[in-house]
Amino acid sequence: MKKIINRPEDYTDDMLRGIYAAHSDLVRYVENDLRCYCTAKKKKGKVAIVTGGGTGHLPLFLGYVGEGLLDGCGVGSVFQSPSAEQIYNISKEVDAGAGILYIYGNYTGDIMNFDIAAEMCEMDGIQVKSIVGADDVNSASSENAGARRGVAGIFFMYKCAGAKAAKGGTLEEVLEAAEKAKENIRTVGFSLTPCVIPELGKSNFTLGENEMAMGMGIHGEPGVWNGPILTADELAEESLDTILKDMPVESGEEVAILVNGLGATSLEELYILSGSISKKLEAKKIAIYRTFVGEYATSMEMAGASVSLMRLDEEQKRLLDAPAYTPFYNQKG
Amino acid sequence: MKKIINRPEDYTDDMLRGIYAAHSDLVRYVENDLRCYCTAKKKKGKVAIVTGGGTGHLPLFLGYVGEGLLDGCGVGSVFQSPSAEQIYNISKEVDAGAGILYIYGNYTGDIMNFDIAAEMCEMDGIQVKSIVGADDVNSASSENAGARRGVAGIFFMYKCAGAKAAKGGTLEEVLEAAEKAKENIRTVGFSLTPCVIPELGKSNFTLGENEMAMGMGIHGEPGVWNGPILTADELAEESLDTILKDMPVESGEEVAILVNGLGATSLEELYILSGSISKKLEAKKIAIYRTFVGEYATSMEMAGASVSLMRLDEEQKRLLDAPAYTPFYNQKG
């Protein structure tokens, strides 16, 4: 295991200590629990947005807590859900009187804990709505789209809902912005190497010398095929074909794209891939309104990438363009 | 070779095509040469800053071209210098009537080409000053500090000089800001895995199962020792000891730290390491004014990190705090 760590069992909390030490002006924790991660800049009267999930995906999830995005994040151990109580404690802290929206990935443990936390909040008179990200096209068929896993496309849900909340939207409106984003986001991902869970010390699967896994999940869930590594152009083609078959986009329509690195893939490669994507969309006369390239949702040191596409209308363009400012993600308005 | 690319020989230009397609509002190229990378937002009367270097280190070098930072960047092939003619063409384009500062890393090929470009500029009546980053403590002894390689600490030189130029500083003042930063920056780096040059297809050295290389350069230059992987706390200790022996910092003084990932090391690990650094500085009563964590100067998919420390005074704090905005680096003012 080639990691820069102390004791593997301290991985999550050591990481959190480092984050709080570096960014104490912007984020803090409550209930004396490092894993109850909240913005230090609460805004009265604003709809609060809370997310959460396992460690190992930085900047997902906690990296999106900040101005123009989210208000709190429950931090689980590596690839594990935060507890219902942690989510509840965060919710009490960030509630600013206008209700809370939970946005998180479509995973069983998270659903259970966020649902319990929502019930606890409601007993306190705090109104909570929930929505899960489920953008990974290859993880379930279109007939069963509700079973799809949430992956990098959740960034667009955060961005739209966060901007709506920052502009003073009601809980209903913020939820609608997240729903509309969700309907218009699709993602395809692929892995070239596995990653290692610190406490296990080795990866729980292998990929051969020249082998990749199309459709693999961000926790290493099996994909739709394993085979020789495709070129960037071929990966762009297969990703877009899969996405556009599931969510047709007409020529003349506008989209945003997110080319996300899973951890060990260089930014150089991500731009080679985004160049391939943009060539192919141009050939289809689909206009790219905005391109996001970088690490948005990782699997620690996994090599690979994902391609997300979001179909846009005028309102969504304005939400994507709104400013955002967190220790991990800055966007000028 | 586990990379998302097309033909290895197109690596640099495919990357550049992707970058221009994604960020055409902010950057462009001149002389019909993709490798002559310039800001699209030239400011009349401002001192221009030009950098350059080989591909394979994103966001270094071109990622720092933008508001509050640099104006142009010569892009070489993987780990190769850009040509003198490219640097000259960029210089002519970004010159805004107030002279140009060249800031680049201390490597033989770069020095030769930047010097020739400076002469070409001077024949055109464009005033040019030059300074090289040479922050890698382990690459040469303190008696021979001028021979040190430039690594991630160059970010602080860019930031200080860029902020000074944005505030309307003269060429002399911008150079002074870079010089003062340079005097007060030290870096120690270490690698856990090699990286692969696309056209070679394999790494030109190996590291064993549990082996790391302390002091290795960002092109794989040999370090000061190879041995078993240290813990984050031990790495923080050795890095700080090396840095502070070379550049003493008194208790009560303030510093900025930059914990930089070399490519494949996860952000989780970088924060574990920055947490270790901040604990150790706290014990020495050295105050951390600002912490930067992330990928600032990489070696493609190399695993490893570097720790840079910059000793600060009030003026330097203001320069570090100034806003910056590029496709790769955003900082709110």
Side-chain angles (χ1 to χ4, degrees):
Chain A
M1 176 169 55
K2 293 221 150 179
K3 292 189 195 270
I4 299 170
I5 58 173
N6 293 306
R7 297 191 317 164
E9 56 270 39
D10 296 333
Y11 184 85
T12 299
D13 291 337
D14 278 356
M15 169 198 82
L16 286 167
R17 282 185 202 101
I19 292 172
Y20 292 119
H23 308 299
S24 58
D25 51 331
L26 295 174
V27 292
R28 61 199 198 86
Y29 54 96
V30 293
E31 295 291 329
N32 209 22
D33 181 348
L34 292 169
R35 299 179 179 209
C36 293
Y37 186 99
C38 298
T39 176
K41 307 205 163 180
K42 186 168 163 178
K43 279 196 187 148
K44 218 175 155 179
K46 189 185 87 68
V47 170
I49 305 176
V50 173
T51 192
T55 290
H57 305 298
L58 280 182
L60 202 65
F61 297 90
L62 61 81
Y64 300 107
V65 171
E67 207 178 296
L69 284 161
L70 316 177
D71 299 278
C73 177
V75 181
S77 295
V78 174
F79 297 174
Q80 303 292 320
S81 175
S83 73
E85 199 187 345
Q86 287 166 330
I87 300 161
Y88 168 67
N89 285 335
I90 293 161
S91 302
K92 280 193 301 181
E93 173 63 25
V94 301
D95 173 49
I100 303 180
L101 179 63
Y102 289 167
I103 307 179
Y104 57 96
N106 192 20
Y107 297 94
T108 312
D110 293 309
I111 293 169
M112 189 181 74
N113 291 324
F114 274 94
D115 280 353
I116 296 169
E119 283 174 28
M120 292 164 80
C121 285
E122 269 158 34
M123 288 194 284
D124 285 356
I126 301 171
Q127 198 188 358
V128 174
K129 301 271 184 189
S130 294
I131 184 168
V132 294
D135 51 316
D136 188 350
V137 181
N138 277 321
S139 62
S141 68
S142 56
E143 292 72 37
N144 196 19
R148 286 178 179 164
R149 297 185 294 259
V151 287
I154 200 171
F155 165 73
F156 288 132
M157 293 172 68
Y158 290 159
K159 188 71 190 66
C160 291
K164 194 75 181 179
K167 285 171 203 270
T170 63
L171 181 54
E172 235 4 283
E173 290 168 338
V174 174
L175 174 61
E176 269 170 34
E179 280 170 343
K180 191 166 150 190
K182 177 177 175 172
E183 281 162 27
N184 290 289
I185 298 165
R186 299 292 186 281
T187 298
V188 165
F190 35 86
S191 305
L192 277 59
T193 69
C195 64
V196 174
I197 295 176
E199 290 195 66
L200 294 181
K202 57 185 172 58
S203 58
N204 49 4
F205 66 95
T206 54
L207 286 168
E209 183 68 18
N210 186 37
E211 190 188 11
M212 61 168 283
M214 171 57 72
M216 173 166 281
I218 58 173
H219 310 99
E221 297 93 338
V224 290
W225 59 256
N226 281 22
I229 298 174
L230 300 181
T231 65
D233 281 345
E234 291 165 344
L235 287 165
E237 176 118 12
E238 176 160 345
S239 302
L240 286 178
D241 283 353
T242 303
I243 287 171
L244 295 174
K245 195 176 155 195
D246 198 74
M247 179 183 73
V249 179
E250 303 296 320
S251 82
E253 283 193 280
E254 284 181 287
V255 297
I257 61 172
L258 166 58
V259 176
N260 167 59
L262 293 181
T265 290
S266 69
L267 206 39
E268 285 82 0
E269 293 165 71
L270 299 181
Y271 274 103
I272 291 172
L273 179 60
S274 89
S276 298
I277 302 270
S278 79
K279 261 191 308 187
K280 292 192 189 294
L281 288 175
E282 200 179 326
K284 292 176 197 292
K285 298 194 171 30
I286 295 171
I288 302 175
Y289 178 69
R290 195 162 185 141
T291 303
F292 299 82
V293 179
E295 292 183 352
Y296 286 76
T298 63
S299 298
M300 297 185 288
E301 75 286 4
M302 184 181 278
S306 65
V307 175
S308 301
L309 201 134
M310 179 175 174
R311 204 165 39 179
L312 298 175
D313 66 11
E314 291 306 314
E315 192 204 358
Q316 287 174 313
K317 282 155 65 174
R318 283 195 304 276
L319 296 173
L320 283 191
D321 286 343
Y325 180 58
T326 86
F328 294 79
Y329 183 77
N330 294 338
Q331 187 182 315
K332 199 177 165 183
Chain B
M1 176 169 56
K2 294 221 152 180
K3 292 189 195 269
I4 298 171
I5 58 172
N6 293 306
R7 296 192 316 165
E9 56 269 39
D10 296 332
Y11 185 85
T12 299
D13 292 336
D14 278 356
M15 169 199 83
L16 286 167
R17 282 184 202 102
I19 292 172
Y20 292 119
H23 307 300
S24 58
D25 52 331
L26 296 174
V27 292
R28 62 199 197 87
Y29 55 95
V30 293
E31 295 290 329
N32 208 23
D33 181 348
L34 291 169
R35 300 178 180 210
C36 293
Y37 185 99
C38 298
T39 176
K41 307 204 162 182
K42 187 167 164 178
K43 279 195 186 149
K44 218 174 156 178
K46 189 185 87 67
V47 169
I49 305 176
V50 173
T51 191
T55 291
H57 306 299
L58 281 182
L60 202 64
F61 297 88
L62 62 81
Y64 300 108
V65 170
E67 207 177 296
L69 284 162
L70 316 178
D71 299 277
C73 178
V75 181
S77 296
V78 174
F79 295 175
Q80 302 294 319
S81 175
S83 74
E85 198 188 346
Q86 287 166 331
I87 300 161
Y88 168 66
N89 285 335
I90 293 160
S91 302
K92 279 193 301 181
E93 173 63 25
V94 301
D95 173 49
I100 302 179
L101 180 63
Y102 289 167
I103 308 179
Y104 57 96
N106 193 20
Y107 297 94
T108 313
D110 293 309
I111 293 170
M112 189 180 73
N113 291 324
F114 274 94
D115 280 353
I116 296 170
E119 283 173 28
M120 292 165 81
C121 285
E122 270 159 35
M123 288 193 284
D124 286 355
I126 301 172
Q127 198 187 358
V128 174
K129 300 272 185 189
S130 294
I131 184 169
V132 294
D135 51 315
D136 187 351
V137 182
N138 277 321
S139 61
S141 68
S142 56
E143 292 73 36
N144 196 19
R148 285 178 179 165
R149 296 185 295 258
V151 287
I154 200 171
F155 165 72
F156 288 132
M157 292 171 68
Y158 291 159
K159 188 70 189 67
C160 291
K164 194 75 180 179
K167 284 171 202 272
T170 63
L171 181 55
E172 237 1 286
E173 289 167 342
V174 175
L175 174 62
E176 269 170 34
E179 280 170 344
K180 192 166 150 191
K182 177 176 176 172
E183 281 162 25
N184 289 289
I185 298 164
R186 298 293 186 279
T187 298
V188 165
F190 34 86
S191 305
L192 278 60
T193 69
C195 64
V196 173
I197 294 176
E199 291 194 64
L200 294 182
K202 57 186 174 54
S203 58
N204 50 4
F205 66 94
T206 54
L207 287 167
E209 182 69 18
N210 187 37
E211 190 187 12
M212 61 168 282
M214 171 58 73
M216 173 167 280
I218 58 172
H219 311 99
E221 297 93 338
V224 290
W225 60 256
N226 281 23
I229 298 174
L230 301 180
T231 66
D233 281 345
E234 291 164 344
L235 287 166
E237 176 117 12
E238 177 161 343
S239 302
L240 286 178
D241 283 353
T242 303
I243 287 171
L244 295 173
K245 196 175 155 198
D246 198 74
M247 177 182 74
V249 179
E250 303 295 318
S251 82
E253 284 193 279
E254 284 181 288
V255 297
I257 61 171
L258 166 59
V259 177
N260 168 59
L262 294 181
T265 290
S266 69
L267 206 40
E268 286 82 0
E269 292 165 72
L270 298 180
Y271 274 103
I272 291 172
L273 179 59
S274 90
S276 298
I277 301 270
S278 80
K279 261 192 309 188
K280 292 192 190 293
L281 288 175
E282 200 178 328
K284 293 175 197 291
K285 298 195 170 33
I286 294 171
I288 302 175
Y289 178 69
R290 193 160 188 144
T291 303
F292 300 81
V293 180
E295 293 184 351
Y296 286 75
T298 63
S299 298
M300 297 184 287
E301 75 286 5
M302 185 181 276
S306 65
V307 175
S308 302
L309 202 135
M310 178 176 176
R311 204 165 39 180
L312 298 175
D313 65 11
E314 290 307 312
E315 192 205 358
Q316 287 174 312
K317 282 156 64 173
R318 283 195 305 276
L319 296 174
L320 283 191
D321 286 345
Y325 180 58
T326 88
F328 294 79
Y329 183 77
N330 295 338
Q331 187 182 315
K332 200 178 164 183

